[in-house]
C-alpha cells in the first residue's frame, strides 16, 4: 500500500468561524486531522494510499506565506522523500500558484508527485469543494507517472509552474493559460500523458535559497516615466537584483519613452536582471518583433516568453539565489525551460503578421513537439 504525506499550512479548507475575530473565517488547528479520520473513503478503501498528515503550527493565511515558508516545505519534503510515494500540500489559494512555482524550481530531479490543493469553501461546510479536491490530490499524489509539482483544483491537474489564480468566487479558481491541463476528471480520469515531465536522470536535491531583491512594475497608458525612472534608480541604490516589467501585448513599451529605455540599459549595465513579461493572460513575449521591442533588446532586457508572472518571479528569485551563477548566466537561464515553465521558442506560434513561410515553419515545429 502506498503512503502519502499531507502537509497542511492552513487555508480556507481548514477554516471555521472564529467568534474572537468578529465571526470571520480563520484556520482551525487540528481540524484537518479530525476530518481525515472521519473520511472513510480514504481510510477504508484498500486501493487508497495510507495518509499521514502534519499540520504546521500556527496555521497561516497564504497571503502571509513567502520564500521562507516555501523553503520549509521543500526541506520537509526532502527529509521525508524516501519514506513516502507522494506529497500533498494544503494551503490557501491566494498565493498557491507562487508556492507551486517556487517548489518546482527548488526541488531538482523530483521523481514523485507533489500536489498542491485547497478549496474555495471550508471542509466543515455541508456543501464544499474541499472534500473532492483533497481526495483527488491524494489519488494523484500516489501516481507512478507524475514526476513534478502540480496543482489540483476543481476538476483539473495543472503543472504548478504554469498555473495562475484566475477567479476569487468560482470553484474553478485556477487556470493554465499556455499549457493544457495534465489531467481532467469526469466519470473517468483523462490524462494528457504526453505532457507529463519525463522521469529525472539525476539524484534528488533541493536548492532553497531565493534572492528576492526585485520589484515588479505593471505599465498603464499615460504612466509617468520620470516617477518610474526615479523608483528604479532608487531601487538600484538599495542593491536591487531583478526588475520585472509587465508590458503591453508581445512585450511593447511606448516608442517615445527613450529616457526609460536608457534607464533600463543603465540598470542592466549595473548588474540588474531586467525581464519583460506580457500583461495578456495567454500568448508570449516576442522581443524584437516590433521596433519598441528592438529597443529593449538593445538595452539588455530578457524575455519571459509565455511564463506566468508567478513562474517569472520565482524563477528569477531562484536563479539569483544560487551561488554558482553569474548575472550573465542568470540572464541566459531565464530563457531556458528548466521545469516545463515555458514553451521552447521553436514551439511558439508565429508572431502577428508573420509571413506565410514563418507560419509554415512554426506549424511543422509544433507537429514535431510530441
Amino acid at each position: 500500500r502506498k503512503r502519502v504525506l499531507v502537509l497542511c499550512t492552513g487555508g480556507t479548507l481548514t477554516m471555521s468561524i472564529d467568534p474572537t475575530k468578529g465571526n470571520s473565517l480563520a484556520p482551525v488547528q487540528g481540524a484537518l486531522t479530525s476530518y481525515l479520520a472521519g473520511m472513510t473513503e480514504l481510510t477504508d478503501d484498500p486501493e487508497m494510499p495510507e495518509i499521514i498528515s502534519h499540520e504546521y503550527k500556527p496555521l497561516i493565511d497564504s497571503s502571509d506565506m513567502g520564500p521562507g515558508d516555501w523553503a520549509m516545505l521543500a526541506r520537509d519534503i526532502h527529509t521525508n522523500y524516501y519514506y513516502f510515494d507522494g506529497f500533498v500540500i494544503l494551503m490557501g489559494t491566494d498565493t498557491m500558484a507562487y508556492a507551486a512555482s517556487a517548489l518546482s524550481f527548488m526541488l531538482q530531479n523530483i521523481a514523485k508527485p507533489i500536489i498542491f490543493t485547497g478549496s474555495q469553501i471550508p471542509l466543515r461546510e455541508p456543501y464544499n469543494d474541499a472534500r473532492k479536491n483533497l481526495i483527488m490530490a491524494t489519488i494523484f499524489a500516489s501516481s507512478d507517472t507524475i514526476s513534478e509539482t502540480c496543482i489540483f483544483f476543481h476538476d483539473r491537474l495543472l503543472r504548478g509552474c504554469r498555473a495562475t489564480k484566475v477567479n476569487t468566487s468560482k470553484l474553478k479558481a485556477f487556470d493554465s493559460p499556455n499549457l493544457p491541463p495534465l489531467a481532467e476528471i469526469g466519470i473517468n480520469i483523462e490524462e494528457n500523458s504526453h505532457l507529463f515531465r519525463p522521469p529525472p536522470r539525476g539524484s534528488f536535491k533541493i536548492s532553497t535559497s531565493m534572492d528576492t531583491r526585485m520589484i515588479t512594475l505593471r505599465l498603464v497608458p499615460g504612466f509617468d516615466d520620470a516617477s518610474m525612472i526615479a523608483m528604479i534608480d532608487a531601487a538600484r541604490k538599495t542593491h536591487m537584483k531583478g526588475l520585472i516589467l509587465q508590458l503591453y501585448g508581445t512585450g511593447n513599451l511606448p516608442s517615445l519613452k527613450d529616457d526609460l529605455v536608457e534607464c533600463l540599459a543603465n540598470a542592466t549595465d549595473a548588474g540588474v536582471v531586467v525581464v519583460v513579461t506580457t500583461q495578456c493572460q495567454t500568448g508570449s513575449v516576442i522581443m524584437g518583433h516590433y521596433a519598441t521591442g528592438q529597443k529593449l533588446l538593445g538595452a539588455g532586457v530578457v524575455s519571459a516568453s509565455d511564463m506566468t508572472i508567478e513562474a517569472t518571479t520565482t524563477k528569477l528569485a531562484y536563479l539569483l539565489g544560487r551561488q554558482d551563477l553569474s548575472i550573465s548566466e542568470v540572464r541566459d537561464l531565464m530563457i531556458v525551460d528548466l521545469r516545463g515553465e515555458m514553451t521552447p521558442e521553436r514551439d511558439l506560434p508565429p508572431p502577428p503578421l508573420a509571413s506565410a513561410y514563418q507560419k509554415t515553419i512554426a506549424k511543422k515545429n509544433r507537429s514535431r513537439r510530441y
Side-chain angles (χ1 to χ4, degrees):
R1 189 178 182 186
K2 293 190 174 182
R3 304 179 80 228
V4 169
L5 178 61
V6 177
L7 299 173
C8 179
T9 67
T12 300
L13 186 143
T14 66
M15 287 184 176
S16 186
I17 293 175
D18 189 341
T20 66
K21 298 181 179 179
N23 290 326
S24 61
L25 288 172
V28 177
Q29 200 78 48
L32 175 68
T33 302
S34 61
Y35 286 137
L36 286 174
M39 294 177 67
T40 56
E41 61 267 59
L42 295 178
T43 58
D44 295 352
D45 189 337
E47 294 187 1
M48 291 295 288
E50 178 188 0
I51 297 175
I52 307 297
S53 65
H54 172 71
E55 296 185 42
Y56 293 97
K57 294 182 180 179
L59 298 175
I60 57 176
D61 190 285
S62 72
S63 59
D64 291 322
M65 293 183 67
D69 303 289
W70 305 336
M72 174 188 67
L73 290 168
R75 286 192 293 268
D76 286 346
I77 290 172
H78 183 260
T79 300
N80 293 280
Y81 185 75
Y82 295 104
Y83 300 102
F84 293 89
D85 298 286
F87 302 84
V88 172
I89 298 175
L90 303 180
M91 64 174 290
T93 59
D94 286 350
T95 63
M96 186 184 293
Y98 287 94
S101 291
L103 261 69
S104 295
F105 298 114
M106 288 181 174
L107 305 175
Q108 304 173 51
N109 298 321
I110 192 82
K112 299 179 181 182
I114 314 293
I115 312 297
F116 279 80
T117 196
S119 68
Q120 296 285 68
I121 306 171
L123 190 55
R124 68 178 292 276
E125 297 294 332
Y127 169 73
N128 65 73
D129 59 329
R131 197 177 194 93
K132 181 180 73 172
N133 287 351
L134 179 55
I135 292 171
M136 291 308 305
T138 303
I139 290 173
F140 282 117
S142 60
S143 169
D144 293 322
T145 56
I146 298 173
S147 305
E148 58 181 298
T149 302
C150 304
I151 290 177
F152 178 83
F153 219 88
H154 188 52
D155 59 359
R156 299 185 298 174
L157 183 72
L158 308 176
R159 176 163 295 154
C161 54
R162 287 284 197 156
T164 186
K165 187 174 181 181
V166 296
N167 204 301
T168 61
S169 59
K170 302 293 185 183
L171 299 185
K172 191 176 286 188
F174 290 87
D175 197 9
S176 176
N178 290 311
L179 186 77
L182 303 183
E184 298 181 77
I185 65 167
I187 295 176
N188 300 307
I189 298 177
E190 298 178 3
E191 294 184 343
N192 290 320
S193 55
H194 61 285
L195 297 175
F196 288 0
R197 298 282 291 172
R201 296 180 179 178
S203 59
F204 173 58
K205 57 184 178 179
I206 63 172
S207 178
T208 58
S209 177
M210 300 189 93
D211 192 335
T212 57
R213 289 177 292 175
M214 64 176 72
I215 57 175
T216 300
L217 298 175
R218 182 183 178 94
L219 267 62
V220 295
F223 68 91
D224 182 2
D225 50 324
S227 297
M228 185 173 291
I229 291 170
M231 183 186 304
I232 295 172
D233 287 340
R236 279 175 49 202
K237 294 174 183 177
T238 58
H239 308 292
M240 175 179 67
K241 291 294 185 181
L243 172 62
I244 297 172
L245 298 174
Q246 290 185 280
L247 302 186
Y248 315 128
T250 57
N252 299 314
L253 188 72
S255 60
L256 301 178
K257 303 289 185 179
D258 289 336
D259 288 345
L260 178 56
V261 174
E262 182 181 353
C263 172
L264 297 178
N266 292 336
T268 58
D269 290 341
V272 178
V273 181
V274 183
V275 183
V276 166
T277 186
T278 175
Q279 296 180 9
C280 301
Q281 190 174 52
T282 58
S284 171
V285 171
I286 308 175
M287 298 287 285
H289 183 60
Y290 294 103
T292 53
Q294 285 285 0
K295 289 184 179 180
L296 293 173
L297 279 175
V301 173
V302 176
S303 167
S305 188
D306 63 346
M307 285 191 289
T308 62
I309 187 63
E310 293 91 343
T312 304
T313 53
T314 54
K315 181 178 182 178
L316 181 56
Y318 160 72
L319 293 175
L320 290 172
R322 285 179 50 172
Q323 302 301 312
D324 59 334
L325 298 176
S326 67
I327 290 298
S328 176
E329 289 171 325
V330 170
R331 290 193 182 106
D332 290 342
L333 286 173
M334 279 301 295
I335 59 175
V336 175
D337 180 29
L338 302 179
R339 307 286 193 270
E341 74 278 5
M342 65 195 305
T343 305
E345 186 176 1
R346 67 180 182 275
D347 296 327
L348 288 170
L353 305 178
S355 68
Y357 174 75
Q358 289 174 303
K359 292 179 179 178
T360 300
I361 295 300
K363 185 177 181 180
K364 286 183 178 179
N365 285 338
R366 288 198 299 277
S367 69
R368 299 191 190 107
R369 183 173 182 180
Y370 306 122

